[in-house]
Amino acid sequence: MTTLHLINKTPSESTALGDSLATLSEGDALLLIENGVYAAMPAYAEHFTRLPRTIQCYLLNNDALARGLNDLNPDFAAIDYDGFVELSCRYSKVVSWF
Amino acid sequence: MSDTKKSFLIINRKAPYGSSAARDALDVALTISVFEQPLSLLFMDDAVLQLLPDHQATLIGQKNLSANLSMLEMYDIDQLYVCQQALSLRGIRPDDITLNITLLDSQGIASLIKQQDHVLSF
Amino acid sequence: MTDDNHEPSYLQVNGQTIPVDPEGYLRHLEDWNDAVAEQLAQEEGITLSEAHWEVLQVLRQFYQQFEMSPAMRPLIKAISAQLGSDKGKSIYLMSLFPGSPAKLASKIAGLPKPTNCL
């Protein structure tokens, strides 16, 4: 049973990022959406260095481009809305952190 | 008339999208400028993210806040300040910002606030 | 004045039906063209001259760059920069678009109503 974790807040506007990172299990995935995409700025890379390698990291590309973010943490794969739907189906549940 | 003038500072602390805070602050700034009151804008915390250029906000069905901010100059709103620490925490270099803006440390922010008649926070 | 009965409003131009808001501003920017501008102007009792068109052009450019309609002061600034300081005066704009030039010119240029405009 694997989980897709959705984060939609910046690293400083709530504890969502820290709380979710602390509760990830092997094989889970992380998807940054809305203001969550700011966590993929290189300055925040340190938050993700200790994640197990089985955790896949994604971000919603439209939300990044809308905010003028181009130079992002290469550990995150950019996906579109169809990819979002696909991920939501691939994992057995979705947990939203906000 | 000059003795009826009051100085205003608008403190921005939120990211450009995801809430209405940034847009509300802009609306209030434009309104204050119509009344020709001395006005300063300060960007700190997540609001420094408003200053990143080239938003493509139509991708999320929003109006482009970075285009709107570049309009401030046309309203003669040119007292723009940004918190230095908030920039460096997010790895944003002053050169990344296309607006003409002054960097302030906490000390500088304290004295900016001290100078104002009114401070509005968003 | 706003229309309280919320009846959808339309502008008829060359057999086309173009939606406008209760105050007569275009609902969709992309509906604008020369014929629509002339019709919008006519509703306000204005016949568009070259002098009007160049102001409308500056307004359209302003909107394209900043994605907002200008209030009076930035409009004057933009007109001064593009058409010269003799035209960048409120009295000149008042003569072309009487009453409230920023609101009226934005309407005819097919742009949203300027906010924060007294």
Side-chain angles (χ1 to χ4, degrees), chain A residues 8-21:
Chain A
N8 79 340
K9 292 288 187 285
T10 76
S12 59
E13 74 181 312
S14 88
T15 56
L17 180 65
D19 291 350
S20 73
L21 292 179

Side-chain angles (χ1 to χ4, degrees), chain A residues 10 12 35 38 63 65-66, chain B residues 16-17 46 55-56 59-60 90:
Chain A
T10 76
S12 59
N35 278 349
Y38 288 117
D63 282 326
L65 295 175
Chain B
Y17 310 103
D46 274 343
H55 298 187
Q56 299 176 50
L59 291 174
I60 55 168
R90 289 163 184 77

Side-chain angles (χ1 to χ4, degrees), chain B residues 27-67:
Chain B
D27 281 346
V28 170
L30 298 182
T31 303
I32 291 172
S33 85
V34 170
F35 288 96
E36 302 192 6
Q37 302 298 305
L39 172 63
S40 305
L41 262 59
L42 168 64
F43 296 85
M44 54 194 297
D45 203 342
D46 274 343
V48 301
L49 301 166
Q50 295 179 28
L51 305 172
L52 292 172
D54 303 327
H55 298 187
Q56 299 176 50
T58 49
L59 291 174
I60 55 168
Q62 301 277 320
K63 296 204 89 172
N64 185 339
L65 191 80
S66 61

Side-chain angles (χ1 to χ4, degrees), chain B residues 7-112:
Chain B
S7 61
F8 287 80
L9 171 67
I10 293 178
I11 302 182
N12 282 281
R13 293 186 53 254
K14 301 289 182 203
Y17 310 103
S19 84
S20 69
R23 189 145 297 284
D24 295 344
L26 176 67
D27 281 346
V28 170
L30 298 182
T31 303
I32 291 172
S33 85
V34 170
F35 288 96
E36 302 192 6
Q37 302 298 305
L39 172 63
S40 305
L41 262 59
L42 168 64
F43 296 85
M44 54 194 297
D45 203 342
D46 274 343
V48 301
L49 301 166
Q50 295 179 28
L51 305 172
L52 292 172
D54 303 327
H55 298 187
Q56 299 176 50
T58 49
L59 291 174
I60 55 168
Q62 301 277 320
K63 296 204 89 172
N64 185 339
L65 191 80
S66 61
N68 298 159
L69 290 178
S70 64
M71 182 187 68
L72 289 173
E73 194 197 347
M74 299 296 288
Y75 281 76
D76 294 324
I77 301 172
D78 51 12
Q79 301 298 303
L80 305 180
Y81 301 92
V82 61
C83 170
Q84 211 158 23
Q85 287 95 323
L87 282 182
S88 58
L89 188 69
R90 289 163 184 77
I92 303 172
R93 288 168 297 130
D95 290 350
D96 296 335
I97 302 172
T98 48
L99 297 177
N100 199 350
I101 199 161
T102 306
L103 301 187
L104 292 179
D105 59 12
S106 324
Q107 197 84 56
I109 291 171
S111 62
L112 180 67

Side-chain angles (χ1 to χ4, degrees), chain C residues 13-105:
Chain C
V13 184
N14 297 340
Q16 298 261 82
T17 302
I18 292 166
V20 294
D21 74 8
E23 293 180 272
Y25 290 80
L26 290 194
R27 293 221 185 254
H28 310 295
L29 243 59
E30 61 278 11
D31 285 341
W32 191 82
N33 57 38
D34 289 4
V36 170
E38 272 158 11
Q39 180 72 36
L40 285 164
Q42 200 187 315
E43 309 258 322
E44 303 291 339
I46 293 173
T47 307
L48 295 179
S49 66
E50 264 318 300
H52 292 94
W53 283 111
E54 63 181 9
V55 171
L56 297 181
Q57 221 53 53
V58 172
L59 261 170
R60 298 281 299 184
Q61 277 169 26
F62 188 101
Y63 192 87
Q64 203 167 20
Q65 186 175 358
F66 302 120
E67 300 192 20
M68 281 180 97
S69 302
M72 196 58 181
R73 187 152 47 132
L75 174 60
I76 288 172
K77 216 169 169 166
I79 299 281
S80 284
Q82 311 240 9
L83 306 178
S85 54
D86 50 329
K87 292 180 177 172
K89 291 193 166 66
S90 59
I91 191 153
Y92 175 73
L93 295 174
M94 292 283 264
S95 72
L96 295 173
F97 302 96
S100 183
K103 284 183 197 162
L104 199 50

